Structure formats: structure tokens, C-alpha cells
Amino acid sequence: MHVSIDQALAAAQRPTPLPEALPRILIAGATGFLGNAVLRRLVGMRRGRHTQVLATLPMHPGIRHVSAQLVPAAAHGKDDFSNWPIVQADLALVMFDPPRMFYGREKALWTPAPHQLAMLGTWLQSCGVHTLAVILPYAQGSLPQALRHGLANLDEQALAALKIERLLLLRSAQKPAPPVRRHHLHAVAAWMLGITSYMLPRTEQVVRAAKVAEFVDLAVGYLPAGSHVLSSEIVWQAAQGDSAHMRRLLRQYLAGRHPAAANSPSLAADSLPRSCNSTGRL
């Protein structure tokens, strides 16, 4: 059957309704490699009936079922969420990747700062969010072992105290920023100390944004109500396999076994004894 170009274009522009049972998604920090990967994953897999991204400038997204929600930018460096509009959302995702300034659309998007996490969580609670996923980047090798599987600061504790049904905190190592070299001796020092970048364990390595987005997508739909902290070891282990491998890790997490205790992707942690202290559950 022959289809004309006009008919094909009209069909592509015709809105397709999604089921009402799907959640309304709100994304803060849809910038950088990670934000772009998470947005494309959720929209491409049709995880929500509508997705809003926070922006400080008017913009027209070119993706179906995606719109920009304007929020006021911080005035004079002061954070004031009291004048933010209340929007309706069920699922919220927060990321902190800085915008890539050579992309015009990312200049218009709003990206939160780490110190705004508690205030942003309070605003999301007022919007009716019942599931909140926060991807927390940290410098490689800088987070103590005792803080990887639990709440690391008061802002995270404030999030856990909110009346949100499900809270997911995912820790993922971030790529180190290029060093500032003001003198040729800085370049020499960086060259001499460059060997330390190879002394980190494998679980401290940076995970590809597409794998993090896939794991977040599965964790949001799999984990039950409550507060969950997924350490960088779990995120790294999840990136070593496919979706079935990720679901197996989540089942081990819920069973009280720490899946990241295995040194290889063969999931040798199945033989570990159960211990509430060895998991990231709260």
C-alpha cells in the first residue's frame, strides 16, 4: 500500500494518548550525559504518560509527551523555593550533571546544586511526588566505606524524613574534572601523580551513563516502598551485565545480601550470610 509523505508526516505529528495508569514524571537536572540518557530512557520506554523537565528559560522540547516547566532562577545567589509553582507529579528524578554549554537546550534547563537537595525534596513533596530517585555523584575514592551504604549527610537524612513513599539514593562515581594548570610544574606534578588513577578498585570506576539510566529505570519499577541506598559498588556491578543481571542484583539487595561484595560479576555473594548491616536498606 502506497503512503504519501503528507500522510506519514500527519501520522507522526498526531498525539498518541498514553494510559492514565502511568505516572507523571518530573526531572530536575536533565543535563549532561546522564540527564540526557535518563530522559531518553524513560521517554523511549514510555514509563510515564507525561514528562516535565525543569527549565529557567522558555523552550519547546522536540520529544513527544515532554514539556518544560519554568521555575525561577536563584536571585542574587539565594535559594528560594517558596515562589516555585506547584505542579502535579508522581515520580521525580534528580541529577546534578552540569550542563554542556555547547548545547543550546541545556543552557535553558535548571540543574540543582548539592546544597539544594533538602529544599528541592520539600518542594517535590508538595507536588505530590510519591517516588523520588536521586543520583548522587561523588569523587572517586573520596567516600568512606561506612557512608557508602547509608545516609552520608544531613541533606540525605532530611530526604529520608520526608513523607515520600519510596526514596532511592544511587551513588555513582563521577569523572574527575581536568586539573587547573597555572604553571608548567603543575603539569609535571599531574604526570607524576597520574599513576594514582590506576590504584582505585574496579568498583570505583566511572559507569557509562546509559547503564546508570537503565539501572535507575529498573530500580524505580522494582524496589518496594521505603528508603533505599544503592552504593557505587552495586551500580558498578549492575553495569557489568544486561537487564536480567540487574534484576538479580536487586533481588539480592532485597534479600539482605550485599551483591557488591563479590569481586567478579559471577555474583559469588549468593553464598554470603544475611546481614542487615551489610545492605544499603534503611
Side-chain angles (χ1 to χ4, degrees):
M1 181 180 65
H2 176 72
V3 179
S4 66
I5 296 179
D6 294 337
Q7 290 177 326
L9 292 175
Q13 296 176 356
R14 187 179 303 117
T16 55
L18 294 176
E20 291 294 327
L22 293 177
R24 296 162 295 186
I25 301 176
L26 181 64
I27 299 180
T31 55
F33 290 106
L34 180 59
N36 184 54
V38 170
L39 177 61
R40 288 184 177 275
R41 173 79 186 185
L42 296 179
V43 176
M45 301 297 290
R46 296 190 175 183
R47 300 306 189 197
R49 66 175 182 265
H50 187 73
T51 302
Q52 298 183 84
V53 294
L54 298 183
T56 57
L57 299 174
M59 60 179 299
H60 180 71
I63 308 176
R64 279 186 177 182
H65 308 292
V66 177
S67 63
Q69 173 61 49
L70 287 178
V71 294
H76 306 292
K78 297 182 179 180
D79 302 316
D80 185 13
F81 288 79
S82 60
N83 58 346
W84 277 35
I86 300 300
V87 299
Q88 298 299 318
D90 305 305
L91 166 63
L93 294 100
V94 179
M95 291 158 288
F96 299 94
D97 268 12
R100 298 166 292 181
M101 301 311 292
F102 48 84
Y103 285 104
R105 61 177 178 81
E106 294 192 5
K107 297 178 182 179
L109 296 176
W110 182 78
T111 304
H115 70 274
Q116 298 173 319
L117 185 57
M119 295 178 288
L120 178 61
T122 303
W123 177 76
L124 292 173
Q125 177 184 260
S126 64
C127 293
V129 170
H130 59 72
T131 299
L132 172 59
V134 184
I135 304 177
L136 298 165
Y138 72 96
Q140 294 172 295
S142 65
L143 193 63
Q145 184 70 28
L147 299 180
R148 294 179 184 178
H149 312 294
L151 302 177
N153 51 47
L154 294 178
D155 289 336
E156 296 179 11
Q157 184 177 357
L159 283 184
L162 294 176
K163 296 180 179 179
I164 294 179
E165 183 179 347
R166 286 193 303 166
L167 173 64
L168 280 68
L169 301 178
L170 292 92
R171 307 195 189 280
S172 181
Q174 65 179 350
K175 185 178 181 180
V180 179
R181 300 172 181 175
R182 296 180 295 270
H183 194 271
H184 70 279
L185 292 179
H186 292 89
V188 175
W191 174 73
M192 296 179 62
L193 297 176
I195 188 62
T196 59
S197 63
Y198 298 97
M199 300 174 63
L200 294 171
R202 291 183 302 168
T203 54
E204 290 286 323
Q205 301 301 320
V206 179
V207 178
R208 290 194 300 117
K211 282 295 185 179
V212 177
E214 182 180 1
F215 188 51
V216 171
D217 179 27
L218 293 176
V220 165
Y222 190 90
L223 293 179
S227 297
H228 306 274
V229 178
L230 301 177
S231 65
S232 61
E233 292 88 350
I234 299 178
V235 177
W236 184 88
Q237 285 279 0
Q240 308 310 306
D242 55 5
S243 298
H245 173 79
M246 295 180 180
R247 292 189 181 93
R248 191 157 58 248
L249 286 176
L250 292 173
R251 286 196 298 268
Q252 290 187 4
Y253 167 81
L254 292 177
R257 296 189 297 269
H258 200 307
N263 293 325
S264 64
S266 59
L267 298 183
D270 285 336
S271 60
L272 295 178
R274 295 191 180 188
S275 172
C276 295
N277 293 329
S278 65
T279 66
R281 290 187 293 167
L282 306 177

